[in-house]
Short mmCIF file of all heavy atoms in Angstrom, two decimals:
data_model
loop_
_atom_site.label_atom_id
_atom_site.label_comp_id
_atom_site.label_asym_id
_atom_site.label_seq_id
_atom_site.Cartn_x
_atom_site.Cartn_y
_atom_site.Cartn_z
N ALA A 1 74.96 201.57 252.20
CA ALA A 1 75.88 201.39 251.11
C ALA A 1 75.36 200.35 250.09
O ALA A 1 74.86 199.30 250.48
CB ALA A 1 77.24 200.96 251.64
N GLY A 2 75.47 200.65 248.85
CA GLY A 2 75.11 199.72 247.82
C GLY A 2 73.59 199.61 247.61
O GLY A 2 72.82 200.41 248.11
N THR A 3 73.22 198.62 246.83
CA THR A 3 71.79 198.38 246.55
C THR A 3 71.06 197.93 247.78
O THR A 3 71.52 197.03 248.47
CB THR A 3 71.64 197.36 245.41
OG1 THR A 3 72.38 197.83 244.28
CG2 THR A 3 70.19 197.18 245.02
N ARG A 4 69.97 198.55 248.05
CA ARG A 4 69.23 198.22 249.29
C ARG A 4 68.65 196.77 249.20
O ARG A 4 68.24 196.31 248.14
CB ARG A 4 68.09 199.22 249.48
CG ARG A 4 68.61 200.58 249.83
CD ARG A 4 67.47 201.53 250.15
NE ARG A 4 68.01 202.77 250.66
CZ ARG A 4 67.93 203.89 250.00
NH1 ARG A 4 67.35 203.99 248.83
NH2 ARG A 4 68.43 204.99 250.55
N ASN A 5 68.63 196.14 250.33
CA ASN A 5 68.07 194.79 250.46
C ASN A 5 66.55 194.89 250.71
O ASN A 5 66.06 194.61 251.77
CB ASN A 5 68.78 194.07 251.61
CG ASN A 5 68.33 192.63 251.78
OD1 ASN A 5 67.51 192.12 251.00
ND2 ASN A 5 68.83 192.00 252.82
N ILE A 6 65.84 195.34 249.69
CA ILE A 6 64.42 195.64 249.82
C ILE A 6 63.64 194.39 250.25
O ILE A 6 62.81 194.41 251.14
CB ILE A 6 63.88 196.22 248.50
CG1 ILE A 6 64.55 197.56 248.24
CG2 ILE A 6 62.33 196.37 248.58
CD1 ILE A 6 64.32 198.05 246.83
N GLU A 7 63.91 193.26 249.59
CA GLU A 7 63.16 192.04 249.93
C GLU A 7 63.47 191.57 251.33
O GLU A 7 62.59 191.04 252.04
CB GLU A 7 63.45 190.91 248.91
CG GLU A 7 64.89 190.45 248.87
CD GLU A 7 65.83 191.35 248.06
OE1 GLU A 7 65.46 192.37 247.54
OE2 GLU A 7 67.00 190.93 247.95
N GLY A 8 64.70 191.81 251.81
CA GLY A 8 65.04 191.44 253.16
C GLY A 8 64.29 192.30 254.18
O GLY A 8 63.80 191.79 255.21
N VAL A 9 64.19 193.57 253.89
CA VAL A 9 63.50 194.49 254.82
C VAL A 9 62.01 194.16 254.84
O VAL A 9 61.35 194.16 255.93
CB VAL A 9 63.72 195.97 254.38
CG1 VAL A 9 62.86 196.92 255.18
CG2 VAL A 9 65.19 196.34 254.55
N ILE A 10 61.43 193.86 253.65
CA ILE A 10 60.01 193.49 253.66
C ILE A 10 59.79 192.17 254.42
O ILE A 10 58.84 192.03 255.22
CB ILE A 10 59.50 193.34 252.19
CG1 ILE A 10 59.48 194.73 251.55
CG2 ILE A 10 58.16 192.66 252.12
CD1 ILE A 10 59.28 194.69 250.05
N GLY A 11 60.72 191.22 254.27
CA GLY A 11 60.63 189.96 254.99
C GLY A 11 60.78 190.15 256.49
O GLY A 11 60.07 189.53 257.31
N LEU A 12 61.70 191.03 256.91
CA LEU A 12 61.87 191.33 258.34
C LEU A 12 60.62 192.00 258.88
O LEU A 12 60.19 191.68 260.00
CB LEU A 12 63.10 192.22 258.56
CG LEU A 12 63.38 192.58 260.02
CD1 LEU A 12 63.63 191.36 260.87
CD2 LEU A 12 64.59 193.50 260.06
N GLY A 13 60.03 192.88 258.11
CA GLY A 13 58.77 193.51 258.53
C GLY A 13 57.68 192.50 258.72
O GLY A 13 56.91 192.55 259.68
N ALA A 14 57.53 191.56 257.76
CA ALA A 14 56.51 190.49 257.89
C ALA A 14 56.78 189.63 259.10
O ALA A 14 55.84 189.29 259.84
CB ALA A 14 56.48 189.68 256.61
N ALA A 15 58.03 189.28 259.35
CA ALA A 15 58.39 188.49 260.51
C ALA A 15 58.05 189.23 261.81
O ALA A 15 57.49 188.62 262.76
CB ALA A 15 59.87 188.10 260.48
N THR A 16 58.34 190.51 261.84
CA THR A 16 58.04 191.34 263.02
C THR A 16 56.54 191.37 263.28
O THR A 16 56.09 191.22 264.39
CB THR A 16 58.64 192.76 262.86
OG1 THR A 16 60.01 192.65 262.66
CG2 THR A 16 58.31 193.61 264.06
N ASP A 17 55.77 191.58 262.18
CA ASP A 17 54.30 191.57 262.33
C ASP A 17 53.80 190.24 262.88
O ASP A 17 52.93 190.19 263.74
CB ASP A 17 53.64 191.88 260.98
CG ASP A 17 53.84 193.32 260.50
OD1 ASP A 17 54.23 194.18 261.33
OD2 ASP A 17 53.61 193.58 259.31
N TYR A 18 54.34 189.16 262.33
CA TYR A 18 53.95 187.81 262.77
C TYR A 18 54.24 187.62 264.26
O TYR A 18 53.38 187.14 265.03
CB TYR A 18 54.65 186.76 261.90
CG TYR A 18 54.43 185.35 262.33
CD1 TYR A 18 53.21 184.72 262.11
CD2 TYR A 18 55.41 184.64 262.97
CE1 TYR A 18 52.97 183.41 262.49
CE2 TYR A 18 55.21 183.31 263.36
CZ TYR A 18 53.98 182.71 263.14
OH TYR A 18 53.76 181.42 263.53
N LEU A 19 55.45 187.96 264.68
CA LEU A 19 55.79 187.79 266.07
C LEU A 19 54.97 188.68 267.01
O LEU A 19 54.56 188.28 268.06
CB LEU A 19 57.30 188.08 266.28
CG LEU A 19 58.23 187.07 265.60
CD1 LEU A 19 59.67 187.54 265.74
CD2 LEU A 19 58.04 185.66 266.16
N GLN A 20 54.69 189.91 266.56
CA GLN A 20 53.84 190.78 267.38
C GLN A 20 52.41 190.20 267.46
O GLN A 20 51.75 190.37 268.49
CB GLN A 20 53.82 192.17 266.81
CG GLN A 20 55.11 192.93 267.05
CD GLN A 20 55.13 194.30 266.44
OE1 GLN A 20 54.53 194.56 265.39
NE2 GLN A 20 55.82 195.22 267.10
N HIS A 21 51.94 189.60 266.40
CA HIS A 21 50.60 188.97 266.44
C HIS A 21 50.56 187.86 267.46
O HIS A 21 49.58 187.73 268.19
CB HIS A 21 50.27 188.45 265.03
CG HIS A 21 48.97 187.72 264.99
ND1 HIS A 21 47.76 188.34 265.01
CD2 HIS A 21 48.70 186.39 264.90
CE1 HIS A 21 46.77 187.44 264.98
NE2 HIS A 21 47.35 186.24 264.90
N ILE A 22 51.60 187.04 267.51
CA ILE A 22 51.64 185.95 268.51
C ILE A 22 51.79 186.60 269.90
O ILE A 22 51.17 186.11 270.87
CB ILE A 22 52.84 185.00 268.27
CG1 ILE A 22 52.61 184.28 266.93
CG2 ILE A 22 53.00 184.01 269.38
CD1 ILE A 22 53.79 183.46 266.47
N SER A 23 52.59 187.55 270.04
CA SER A 23 52.92 188.33 271.23
C SER A 23 54.22 187.80 271.86
O SER A 23 54.41 186.60 272.02
CB SER A 23 51.81 188.40 272.28
OG SER A 23 52.03 187.57 273.34
N PHE A 24 55.11 188.74 272.11
CA PHE A 24 56.42 188.40 272.63
C PHE A 24 56.30 187.75 274.00
O PHE A 24 57.10 186.89 274.36
CB PHE A 24 57.33 189.59 272.66
CG PHE A 24 57.74 190.04 271.28
CD1 PHE A 24 57.21 191.19 270.72
CD2 PHE A 24 58.68 189.31 270.55
CE1 PHE A 24 57.57 191.57 269.41
CE2 PHE A 24 59.04 189.69 269.29
CZ PHE A 24 58.50 190.82 268.72
N SER A 25 55.33 188.12 274.81
CA SER A 25 55.16 187.51 276.12
C SER A 25 54.76 186.05 276.01
O SER A 25 55.21 185.20 276.74
CB SER A 25 54.17 188.30 276.99
OG SER A 25 52.90 188.28 276.40
N LYS A 26 53.91 185.72 275.00
CA LYS A 26 53.53 184.33 274.82
C LYS A 26 54.70 183.51 274.33
O LYS A 26 54.92 182.37 274.73
CB LYS A 26 52.36 184.21 273.84
CG LYS A 26 51.03 184.59 274.43
CD LYS A 26 49.92 184.40 273.43
CE LYS A 26 48.59 184.83 274.00
NZ LYS A 26 47.51 184.75 273.04
N ILE A 27 55.52 184.11 273.43
CA ILE A 27 56.68 183.40 272.94
C ILE A 27 57.68 183.16 274.08
O ILE A 27 58.20 182.06 274.24
CB ILE A 27 57.37 184.25 271.81
CG1 ILE A 27 56.47 184.34 270.59
CG2 ILE A 27 58.75 183.65 271.45
CD1 ILE A 27 56.92 185.33 269.56
N GLN A 28 57.87 184.19 274.94
CA GLN A 28 58.78 184.03 276.07
C GLN A 28 58.27 182.95 277.02
O GLN A 28 59.04 182.12 277.52
CB GLN A 28 58.93 185.36 276.78
CG GLN A 28 59.92 185.31 277.92
CD GLN A 28 60.07 186.66 278.60
OE1 GLN A 28 59.16 187.47 278.58
NE2 GLN A 28 61.23 186.90 279.22
N GLN A 29 56.98 182.94 277.29
CA GLN A 29 56.38 181.93 278.18
C GLN A 29 56.58 180.55 277.60
O GLN A 29 56.93 179.60 278.31
CB GLN A 29 54.91 182.25 278.40
CG GLN A 29 54.22 181.33 279.37
CD GLN A 29 52.75 181.71 279.52
OE1 GLN A 29 52.16 182.34 278.64
NE2 GLN A 29 52.15 181.29 280.64
N TYR A 30 56.34 180.39 276.28
CA TYR A 30 56.48 179.09 275.65
C TYR A 30 57.95 178.64 275.69
O TYR A 30 58.25 177.48 275.99
CB TYR A 30 55.99 179.16 274.19
CG TYR A 30 56.05 177.84 273.49
CD1 TYR A 30 55.21 176.79 273.81
CD2 TYR A 30 56.96 177.61 272.47
CE1 TYR A 30 55.27 175.57 273.18
CE2 TYR A 30 57.04 176.40 271.80
CZ TYR A 30 56.19 175.38 272.18
OH TYR A 30 56.28 174.18 271.53
N GLU A 31 58.86 179.58 275.42
CA GLU A 31 60.28 179.22 275.49
C GLU A 31 60.67 178.77 276.87
O GLU A 31 61.44 177.83 277.03
CB GLU A 31 61.14 180.43 275.06
CG GLU A 31 61.31 180.58 273.58
CD GLU A 31 62.35 181.62 273.21
OE1 GLU A 31 63.38 181.72 273.92
OE2 GLU A 31 62.11 182.29 272.20
N LYS A 32 60.18 179.45 277.90
CA LYS A 32 60.52 179.06 279.29
C LYS A 32 60.07 177.63 279.57
O LYS A 32 60.75 176.87 280.24
CB LYS A 32 59.87 180.02 280.32
CG LYS A 32 60.58 181.35 280.41
CD LYS A 32 61.92 181.24 281.04
CE LYS A 32 62.56 182.62 281.20
NZ LYS A 32 63.97 182.53 281.51
N THR A 33 58.88 177.27 279.04
CA THR A 33 58.39 175.91 279.21
C THR A 33 59.35 174.90 278.57
O THR A 33 59.70 173.88 279.17
CB THR A 33 56.99 175.76 278.59
OG1 THR A 33 56.09 176.67 279.24
CG2 THR A 33 56.44 174.36 278.73
N LEU A 34 59.78 175.19 277.35
CA LEU A 34 60.73 174.33 276.67
C LEU A 34 62.09 174.33 277.31
O LEU A 34 62.76 173.27 277.39
CB LEU A 34 60.86 174.71 275.19
CG LEU A 34 59.63 174.49 274.31
CD1 LEU A 34 59.94 174.92 272.86
CD2 LEU A 34 59.16 173.06 274.33
N ILE A 35 62.56 175.46 277.79
CA ILE A 35 63.84 175.54 278.46
C ILE A 35 63.79 174.65 279.72
O ILE A 35 64.77 173.88 279.94
CB ILE A 35 64.18 176.99 278.85
CG1 ILE A 35 64.52 177.79 277.56
CG2 ILE A 35 65.34 177.07 279.84
CD1 ILE A 35 64.57 179.31 277.78
N THR A 36 62.74 174.76 280.52
CA THR A 36 62.62 173.93 281.71
C THR A 36 62.62 172.46 281.33
O THR A 36 63.29 171.62 281.98
CB THR A 36 61.33 174.32 282.49
OG1 THR A 36 61.41 175.65 282.86
CG2 THR A 36 61.16 173.44 283.73
N TYR A 37 61.90 172.10 280.30
CA TYR A 37 61.83 170.72 279.83
C TYR A 37 63.21 170.23 279.39
O TYR A 37 63.64 169.11 279.70
CB TYR A 37 60.81 170.61 278.68
CG TYR A 37 60.45 169.19 278.29
CD1 TYR A 37 59.51 168.47 279.04
CD2 TYR A 37 61.04 168.59 277.20
CE1 TYR A 37 59.19 167.17 278.67
CE2 TYR A 37 60.69 167.31 276.81
CZ TYR A 37 59.76 166.63 277.56
OH TYR A 37 59.41 165.34 277.19
N ALA A 38 63.93 171.06 278.65
CA ALA A 38 65.30 170.69 278.16
C ALA A 38 66.27 170.60 279.32
O ALA A 38 67.09 169.66 279.36
CB ALA A 38 65.77 171.73 277.16
N LEU A 39 66.19 171.49 280.28
CA LEU A 39 67.08 171.45 281.42
C LEU A 39 66.84 170.15 282.22
O LEU A 39 67.79 169.50 282.67
CB LEU A 39 66.87 172.65 282.36
CG LEU A 39 67.44 173.96 281.80
CD1 LEU A 39 67.02 175.12 282.68
CD2 LEU A 39 68.98 173.89 281.71
#
């Protein structure tokens, strides 16, 4: 509905590419390290 959020979709695509480049498993592993530290 309405005018498409083109810049938002492009930004989400760039963010997705960036996260895939890092790799979701590395992000998850890093988060677990911080979660353990915070706990």
